[in-house]
Amino acid sequence: IVTLHLAAGSIAILWLWQLVFRRLNSRDAPNNRFNWDLLRWAGRNPAHWALVGAAVWAFAQVASTLLSPLPVISFFGGDEARSGYNLYDSISLLVLFLSVALRFRTRRSLELLAYTLIASGTIAAAFGIAQHFGWDPIGNNAGRTRVIASFGNTLNFGAYMVMTIPATLAMVYGNQKNRGVLLAIIVGALGLQLAGLWFSGGRGPFVGAAASIGTFFIIAAAIGSWRSVAKSAAVLAFSAVVAAVIIALPSPQGDVGLERVRSIGSSFSGTSGASTDIRGGLAGRFNIWGSTLNLATRWYVPIEEPVANSVLRPVFGFGPDMFIYSFPFAGKPQTNLAILDHAHNFELQVLMENGFVGLLGFVAFTGLLAIAVFAIVRRFRSTGRGIDHTGILILALLPALIGKLVELQTGVPRVSDLAMTFALFGAAIALYEIVNRQLASDSEESSDVRATGSSSLALTASNQTALAATLLAAVLATAVLLTIFVGWDMRRLSASASLARGHDHPELETRAQVWADAQAQAPERESFTHALSEQYVLVAKEQRALGNEEEAMRLILTGRELLLAYEKRDPFEWDAQIGLSKITATLVEWGNLEYAQELADRSRRIVELYPSYPSLVGTAATAMTSLGLHELAIEYADMVIAVEESTQPWSKAWYARGRALFELGREDEAIATLITATEKQPGAEGALLSHQVLAQIYSLRGETEFAEMHRELGGAEITFEE
């Protein structure tokens, strides 16, 4: 991510200053006015209109950031683990796209892009294979059922292979002298990539790879001959044999790829029973997409906002990186505590975060790119050139783009695969212009028909005005980008480097200080702040068990302060809210009743923010009844009980309801409810607590035998985790 920001910022700064110097050099030219007409420039060129679509999408992202409930989070992102959607990342990716689209106008530059894709994909595939066989000295990810290589997620790794496989296959048409050596290298690289894709186990990438390979052969047949198609098919077959040999080698992980391929068909079926849990496969995607489309009709946000903002929500969306905070309002009840941060469909994600304007821009952008791809192949085929140097580029880059567009329909792309995706977007535009230029030089006329005459979208300005505007933009961009990069990227990278150097120091005190220093340097980093806060709370409980109450209070309050500071920047973040609620409950449990009102407020807030997670709502119900808010406890418990058929039994909710009824004097109802709690999940904490309350009730009633039985049952060990 830091490399992306550095590269994009450098390109943007150098580009702007280049424009300044061009304006300076044109001062003495006879006609130095700035003249630009959108309609004349775009004409009937789908590649140019694709750039217009990208501009509309970029505008929507900026507008949605300004309207975001948390503009700072929308600009910088809430968690680096979900990269690629905050405005900083998006602008960087768009700069990367524009640099390829507007500056890679020679075959040589696009060849370098193809070689970069092939080399990086082969290295990543080799690393993923090593992980599969238990070797990973860098990221400690050896032994995973589905490998992630260096991508952070198995889907991103598989998605990268979708792009690199056809690019590698296209190299079989090169005219190098050492033909046998070249083919051996291609077969080896392609075999590694196919094996890496197999070990990733991503069904979406499997389908995307099939689309990219299928597109490759369709284009090869269109611009080449059946003999050329047979050549690439033979190389693919030999590479598949190499991959099969690698896959067949003994491994403790087994053949996960075969299982995932077989499950593609079954993934079309719905989830079993009435469960609303989000699961893997296409059925799980349908669950997510249905809730997301429901959200697109209501546009819930976790704050009270002005009417104007509410009206503009459908137009510009929730804001970059904001989908994660709105989905719980529309999501179906979930058994597990796993928050959803992506719609698992790129177009739906754009709709949610950038609104209908953003979706319109993105669909126009990618749709016109698809038209440009078709036009490239059609026009190149008409020349009858066969698969020459330009034809190789067409086969290397365009099928990779098409396959990736297919994969985006179910994938969760991050910067790790989005960077190359945006480079391929730019490559399609650059390749369109190269082919057009070749055809124009052959026929001595342009095949691109443009509008004639001036239009209402024409812009004109004197050279002095254009120079002043460009100079101002260059100065401001340089100052802003350098400030952001140093203050954000370098600071956070420095914190990571400090932690990496000392996290495994043999002295405990030194390790603790290293963590504290790194967290103080980058307190907005969830992985730093939450991990350190959890350790403070853990050690605080250990100290209290040893009788060191003063030290225990100091430690737990220190952990609390870390999360309170984090909460100021991101008041909706899942782990921070749950962590603060747990800390507050612990403080009340330790007798610090001054935190009782805060516990009540935090419990209400968790129910408001995460209504589709019954385990959290049930915990809130328990907290409410412990604070004497029995009516509210019953309300929350009923919310959980109402969704048991689609989730699971929740003994803690039944316990909270039963205890609240007992405290309200409704003993008979309480007994029935508490007995139900013991039957729903025997051995769970809620069941044991219910036995304890039943023992109390029967003791008050003088029914000693029942009281003793429930007292004994309530004192057992917890054997079931809700």
Side-chain angles (χ1 to χ4, degrees):
I1 294 172
V2 172
T3 304
L4 173 67
H5 293 167
L6 176 61
S10 301
I11 290 169
I13 291 171
L14 292 172
W15 213 339
L16 285 169
W17 282 106
Q18 185 184 57
L19 293 176
V20 170
F21 291 130
R22 282 183 179 177
R23 280 286 144 195
L24 283 171
N25 293 334
S26 65
R27 285 178 299 175
D28 298 329
N31 183 16
N32 58 14
R33 290 181 62 83
F34 172 79
N35 295 286
W36 186 76
D37 189 327
L38 173 61
L39 295 183
R40 287 177 58 83
W41 170 77
R44 298 180 184 176
N45 187 319
H48 286 181
W49 283 110
L51 289 170
V52 175
V56 172
W57 182 28
F59 166 75
Q61 292 182 58
V62 174
S64 64
T65 300
L66 296 175
L67 290 169
S68 169
L70 297 173
V72 172
I73 301 297
S74 286
F75 184 85
F76 288 110
D79 179 9
E80 60 265 25
R82 57 176 194 263
S83 63
Y85 300 93
N86 60 75
L87 187 61
Y88 192 11
D89 288 350
S90 292
I91 290 175
S92 301
L93 291 167
L94 285 170
V95 169
L96 185 64
F97 154 70
L98 289 173
S99 67
V100 176
L102 303 181
R103 293 305 179 94
F104 282 40
R105 293 302 175 86
T106 64
R107 283 202 305 256
R108 181 58 180 165
S109 59
L110 289 179
E111 284 174 358
L112 290 174
L113 176 62
Y115 294 152
T116 301
L117 173 59
I118 295 166
S120 57
T122 303
I123 294 170
F127 188 35
I129 292 169
Q131 285 181 343
H132 176 78
F133 289 104
W135 184 79
D136 182 1
I138 301 174
N140 295 321
N141 283 304
R144 296 175 61 97
T145 304
R146 295 167 58 191
V147 300
I148 64 174
S150 57
F151 286 77
N153 187 292
T154 184
L155 292 177
N156 304 128
F157 171 46
Y160 205 80
M161 296 299 101
V162 170
M163 296 182 283
T164 194
I165 287 171
T168 307
L169 190 57
M171 294 300 110
V172 301
Y173 300 113
N175 294 321
Q176 285 79 0
K177 295 179 181 178
N178 298 321
R179 191 97 184 125
V181 175
L182 173 66
L183 287 176
I185 293 173
I186 292 172
V187 168
L190 199 53
L192 291 175
Q193 294 163 20
L194 291 169
L197 174 67
W198 189 262
F199 291 145
S200 75
R203 289 173 289 200
F206 287 166
V207 175
S212 66
I213 294 172
T215 304
F216 175 92
F217 284 112
I218 291 172
I219 295 177
I223 67 175
S225 63
W226 289 110
R227 183 177 180 181
S228 60
V229 172
K231 180 193 300 184
S232 54
V235 170
L236 181 62
F238 280 116
S239 302
V241 172
V242 172
V245 171
I246 296 172
I247 293 166
L249 293 175
S251 166
Q253 308 311 317
D255 189 358
V256 66
L258 184 60
E259 175 189 342
R260 300 290 289 179
V261 169
R262 286 175 175 172
S263 65
I264 290 177
S266 62
S267 69
F268 284 85
S269 61
T271 54
S272 58
S275 175
T276 55
D277 283 346
I278 295 173
R279 307 187 188 279
L282 197 58
R285 286 345 189 236
F286 286 146
N287 189 342
I288 297 169
W289 298 340
S291 298
T292 301
L293 290 172
N294 182 42
L295 190 60
T297 64
R298 303 185 183 184
W299 299 96
Y300 294 127
V301 291
I303 61 169
E304 292 288 337
E305 62 178 0
V307 175
N309 287 35
S310 299
V311 170
L312 290 173
R313 282 286 161 234
V315 181
F316 295 113
F318 297 120
D321 218 17
M322 287 290 111
F323 173 73
I324 187 174
Y325 302 123
S326 291
F327 185 79
F329 297 121
K332 297 176 181 178
Q334 299 297 304
T335 302
N336 299 319
L337 283 178
I339 192 118
L340 193 78
D341 61 9
H342 196 282
H344 289 65
N345 173 276
F346 199 82
E347 287 81 2
L348 277 180
Q349 185 75 9
V350 170
L351 171 62
M352 289 291 97
E353 298 195 337
N354 309 141
F356 284 100
V357 172
L359 180 63
L360 174 64
F362 179 76
V363 170
F365 170 48
T366 53
L368 287 162
L369 281 181
I371 293 173
V373 168
F374 177 78
I376 292 169
V377 176
R378 182 177 62 83
R379 292 179 181 179
F380 191 80
R381 181 186 183 187
S382 66
T383 65
R385 291 169 176 266
I387 304 179
D388 60 3
H389 290 295
T390 305
I392 292 173
L393 288 176
I394 291 173
L395 287 170
L397 301 175
L398 299 187
L401 174 60
I402 297 299
K404 181 57 178 171
L405 287 174
V406 171
E407 190 275 334
L408 285 177
Q409 304 314 303
T410 59
V412 188
R414 303 295 190 208
V415 160
S416 54
D417 57 312
L418 279 174
M420 185 56 73
T421 302
F422 275 72
L424 289 177
F425 286 157
I429 292 176
L431 196 53
Y432 182 90
E433 298 296 339
I434 289 174
V435 171
N436 266 357
R437 191 170 63 241
Q438 281 188 354
L439 295 177
S441 63
D442 290 347
S443 62
E444 298 183 353
E445 61 177 89
S446 174
S447 60
D448 178 26
V449 180
R450 298 173 184 265
T452 59
S454 181
S455 74
S456 59
L457 299 178
L459 298 175
T460 62
S462 66
N463 186 63
Q464 290 83 355
T465 303
L467 174 60
T470 308
L471 180 60
L472 179 62
V475 171
L476 287 177
T478 302
V480 171
L481 291 175
L482 286 177
T483 301
I484 291 175
F485 184 77
V486 173
W488 180 258
D489 295 279
M490 292 308 298
R491 173 177 59 82
R492 291 157 61 87
L493 185 62
S494 176
S496 290
S498 298
L499 183 59
R501 285 193 296 267
H503 81 284
D504 57 351
H505 195 279
E507 295 183 8
L508 178 62
E509 292 80 4
T510 302
R511 291 204 305 274
Q513 190 59 49
V514 166
W515 268 98
D517 291 344
Q519 190 279 333
Q521 192 172 0
E524 77 288 341
R525 293 197 56 180
E526 180 181 347
S527 55
F528 289 2
T529 297
H530 293 359
L532 189 59
S533 176
E534 288 174 0
Q535 286 301 309
Y536 273 118
V537 174
L538 177 63
V539 179
K541 291 179 178 179
E542 292 174 352
Q543 289 297 312
R544 184 174 176 83
L546 294 173
N548 302 326
E549 295 189 9
E550 185 175 340
E551 178 65 5
M553 281 296 296
R554 185 189 72 81
L555 290 168
I556 197 170
L557 290 177
T558 301
R560 177 174 177 269
E561 287 300 320
L562 295 179
L563 293 185
L564 287 175
Y566 189 94
E567 184 186 32
K568 291 178 181 178
R569 178 179 181 268
D570 191 348
F572 312 133
E573 203 277 324
W574 165 281
D575 290 324
Q577 289 302 319
I578 294 175
L580 283 167
S581 181
K582 287 181 177 179
I583 289 173
T584 309
T586 301
L587 288 169
V588 172
E589 183 183 336
W590 288 358
N592 300 282
L593 299 182
E594 63 270 25
Y595 293 98
Q597 185 58 50
E598 180 183 340
L599 177 59
D601 293 340
R602 291 200 175 280
S603 297
R604 286 193 188 94
R605 183 167 178 76
I606 283 179
V607 173
E608 292 170 357
L609 289 175
Y610 317 117
S612 55
Y613 292 87
S615 60
L616 296 180
V617 179
T619 300
T622 303
M624 289 304 181
T625 191
S626 68
L627 296 171
L629 302 173
H630 304 303
E631 296 290 351
L632 200 55
I634 292 173
E635 178 186 339
Y636 289 170
D638 286 343
M639 289 172 58
V640 177
I641 292 168
V643 300
E644 279 190 337
E645 289 188 5
S646 61
T647 55
Q648 68 175 36
W650 299 100
S651 65
K652 189 172 290 185
W654 286 96
Y655 156 72
R657 190 178 195 281
R659 179 177 170 181
L661 289 169
F662 168 60
E663 298 291 350
L664 291 172
R666 297 156 61 179
E667 284 190 7
D668 291 337
E669 292 179 71
I671 290 173
T673 302
L674 291 168
I675 290 175
T676 301
T678 64
E679 295 170 345
K680 286 285 183 177
Q681 291 176 320
E685 182 183 14
L688 301 184
L689 292 172
S690 297
H691 281 301
Q692 294 171 19
V693 177
L694 284 168
Q696 183 180 355
I697 294 173
Y698 284 123
S699 179
L700 291 173
R701 288 188 167 193
E703 300 181 33
T704 309
E705 185 177 346
F706 282 123
E708 186 60 33
M709 178 188 71
H710 285 291
R711 189 175 295 110
E712 182 179 345
L713 291 172
E717 294 290 330
I718 296 175
T719 58
F720 180 85
E721 293 292 337
E722 284 192 73

